[in-house]
Every structure is written in structure tokens, then in C-alpha cells.
Amino acid sequence: MTDEKDRARIEALLVELRPALHRYAARMVGSVLDGEDVVQDAIARAMAALDRAPPEGDATAWSFRIAHNAAIDHLRARARRGGEQEIQEEDMISDGDEAARRCAAGAALAVFMQLPPLQRGTVILKDVLGYSNEEAAGILDTTLAATKAALHRGRARLRILADAPSPLPPADHGDVIRLQAYVDRFNARDFDAVRAMLADDVRFELVARMTRGRAAFETYFTRYTEMTSWRLSVGVIEGRAAAIVHDPADPTGPPTGLIVIDWADGRIVRLRDFYHARYVLRDAVISPPA
């Protein structure tokens, strides 16, 4: 059983680690959007585990181990849905560290997906997040020798793959049209028209916060009216149309936010606002709609 002081400490640690957990999860599952779902799952698992199996020792390694397992479960579920062969965790287990870090930092998320999970995990932990081989072995619950072997093979494979082009899938044309209508109404601050686009059972998520559900939309729309520094445009991320937030005072500057919408029968059934999870933008590749 975890006492309240330790629970508060671990909760604060999970908040602090969230961007790094996302960098790990996004590369493990090949998607900044799915990576955030994995992080949410991992944090929920971590909080649930506090009462039955709290961390013994390094809580950071414990947190990454939970995120790794959540990512593996996500990949297995995706494989089952797609009828693919289920992934295996066994090692399917150089370059200098600095060259490897540059290669990993510049590699597209889709490239990491071509590495087996253990190789992928060791390369991300060592070359993206800066963990030692010993720390990576602890997080991945494997031996130091297996970690070093996986790192060597993963680096060699990543170096070959990183130079290959990674074509991005186009977004659904209907979703682009629907999202453009949402963006136009938002930019006109016509929130009654925006409300008319919502399905009755719409799900709302203010990512990295606990705000959810239809009732939360009213508070959300109230905040919208105050967002004079927000202007939306339509972009494509990982083959999905997404609303990209810009500051009108700096229209050529980097995006400041991201909103992802799911549609059914022409109505909004789920809206995820990443205002409090801007770390997602760090690894997002945003392109204009075709």
C-alpha cells in the first residue's frame, strides 16, 4: 500500500515525465496520436498499481516499464485488428553514441516501426532519451547483454532505414471538408454553428487534464471565446485531418496547438484538444491537405 505522501510524489513524477513518456511511446507505436493514448493508458496503469505493486527503488524506471508494456499491448491489439502476426518480445535481441543519437533524433516515427520491439525500445531509451544501457535493461526487464546486442543491431538497422523516404498517407477527403467547415466556424467565432456539428453522445478530451464529456464542452466553448490568440487551419498528421492552432500575431511561426476530431455520419463524435499536451507537436509531421 502506498501512503499519501508517496502517492503525491509519484503523481508529480508522472506529470514531469509525461513528455518523455510520450517521446518513447510515439516511437514505439509509430504515431504521435496513438502515443498519447499509450501514455494515458500507462499513467492509468501506474496509478492503479500503486495500491498493489508500488515501485521498489527507481520510480522513473518503473514508469517507463509500465509505458513500454502499454505500448506492447497497444501494438498487439493493433496487430490483432489488422490480422497481422502478433509481435514477439524476444530479440528479433557500432556506431558511436553521438552519431547514433543524431540518426535516432532525425528518424521519422514510421522508421522506428521497422525495428523489432526490443531493438526499438533500446534505441529510443539510449539514443533519444539518453538512458544508460544498465537503465534500459532495467526498464525493458532484460539482461544487460541482451540490451547491448539489441542496441547494436537496432542502430545498424536504423542507419539503413533512416535514408529511405517515408511517404505520408493522404487524409480522407470527406474529413478534410468537414474539418474545414469546423475551422471556418471556429475562426468566425460562430460557436452556435460549431455546437450544431456535435453528435448527441460526443466525447470531449482535454488531453493531459481530466476534463471530459459533453458537459465539459460548455466550459470549453467559453474558453474558446477568450482565445483571441487562436486561429485554426487544416493540416494532415499521420494521414488524419487535424485542426492546427496558430497565433495570428505570428502566422508563419510554429503551431501552438492541435485539435483532432473523429466523425460519424457527418457529426463530431470525439474531439481531442492537445492544448495541455503540446509536447505532441515536437514529433508531429504536419502537411497541408492534398
Side-chain angles (χ1 to χ4, degrees), residues 186-187 189 220 224 227-232 245-248 256-257 259 273 275 278:
F186 179 96
N187 289 339
R189 299 302 190 264
Y220 185 62
Y224 263 171
M227 294 296 187
T228 57
S229 63
W230 277 33
R231 184 168 183 83
L232 304 186
V245 183
H246 302 273
D247 183 346
T256 59
I259 299 171
D273 186 334
Y275 178 80
R278 300 186 189 187

Side-chain angles (χ1 to χ4, degrees), residues 188-245:
R189 299 302 190 264
D190 188 352
F191 298 121
D192 287 337
V194 171
R195 286 184 180 90
M197 304 178 77
L198 305 178
D200 292 337
D201 57 351
V202 63
R203 295 169 55 199
F204 166 62
E205 299 176 27
L206 192 55
V207 178
R209 294 292 187 270
M210 295 305 293
T211 305
R212 296 191 177 194
R214 175 75 187 232
F217 260 115
E218 292 310 313
T219 301
Y220 185 62
F221 282 127
T222 300
R223 291 284 295 155
Y224 263 171
T225 64
E226 302 168 358
M227 294 296 187
T228 57
S229 63
W230 277 33
R231 184 168 183 83
L232 304 186
S233 66
V234 177
V236 176
I237 297 178
E238 300 168 359
R240 296 195 56 184
I244 312 302
V245 183

Side-chain angles (χ1 to χ4, degrees), residues 1-222:
M1 178 71 69
T2 305
D3 62 32
E4 289 304 313
K5 183 177 180 180
D6 282 342
R7 177 178 290 272
R9 176 180 61 83
I10 292 172
E11 287 179 353
L13 175 66
L14 290 171
V15 171
E16 179 184 347
L17 286 177
R18 191 163 186 143
L21 291 173
H22 180 266
R23 293 198 80 195
Y24 183 81
R27 285 164 173 77
M28 282 299 296
V29 301
S31 164
V32 295
L33 302 180
D34 289 352
E36 181 56 35
D37 289 340
V38 170
V39 170
Q40 291 188 33
D41 180 25
I43 289 175
R45 293 186 188 194
M47 297 308 298
L50 288 180
D51 290 330
R52 65 177 188 274
E56 297 180 1
D58 187 351
T60 296
W62 174 81
S63 302
F64 272 97
R65 192 176 307 118
I66 292 173
H68 176 78
N69 290 336
I72 293 297
D73 287 346
H74 179 94
L75 290 167
R76 285 178 171 148
R78 181 195 291 172
R80 287 193 295 271
R81 289 194 300 269
E84 302 167 9
Q85 183 177 359
E86 184 170 302
I87 63 169
Q88 301 296 323
E89 270 284 44
E90 63 265 14
D91 182 42
M92 326 168 228
I93 287 178
S94 124
D95 296 328
D97 281 358
E98 184 56 37
R101 280 193 289 269
R102 288 197 301 269
C103 180
L109 299 190
V111 172
F112 284 90
M113 292 302 297
Q114 298 182 64
L115 301 181
L118 185 55
Q119 293 179 19
R120 196 184 318 157
T122 54
V123 169
I124 298 167
L125 289 168
K126 185 74 163 64
D127 295 335
V128 177
L129 297 175
Y131 283 91
S132 67
N133 289 329
E134 290 78 8
E135 290 168 326
I139 290 169
L140 299 174
D141 196 23
T142 188
T143 65
L144 181 59
T147 299
K148 289 181 177 179
L151 178 66
H152 176 75
R153 296 174 189 175
R155 281 176 168 178
R157 179 70 174 152
L158 189 66
R159 188 176 65 247
I160 295 170
L161 295 170
D163 293 331
S166 299
L168 298 173
D172 179 87
H173 184 62
D175 284 350
V176 171
I177 292 174
R178 285 184 282 270
L179 186 61
Q180 187 63 62
Y182 176 91
V183 164
D184 291 342
R185 293 171 184 182
F186 179 96
N187 289 339
R189 299 302 190 264
D190 188 352
F191 298 121
D192 287 337
V194 171
R195 286 184 180 90
M197 304 178 77
L198 305 178
D200 292 337
D201 57 351
V202 63
R203 295 169 55 199
F204 166 62
E205 299 176 27
L206 192 55
V207 178
R209 294 292 187 270
M210 295 305 293
T211 305
R212 296 191 177 194
R214 175 75 187 232
F217 260 115
E218 292 310 313
T219 301
Y220 185 62
F221 282 127
T222 300

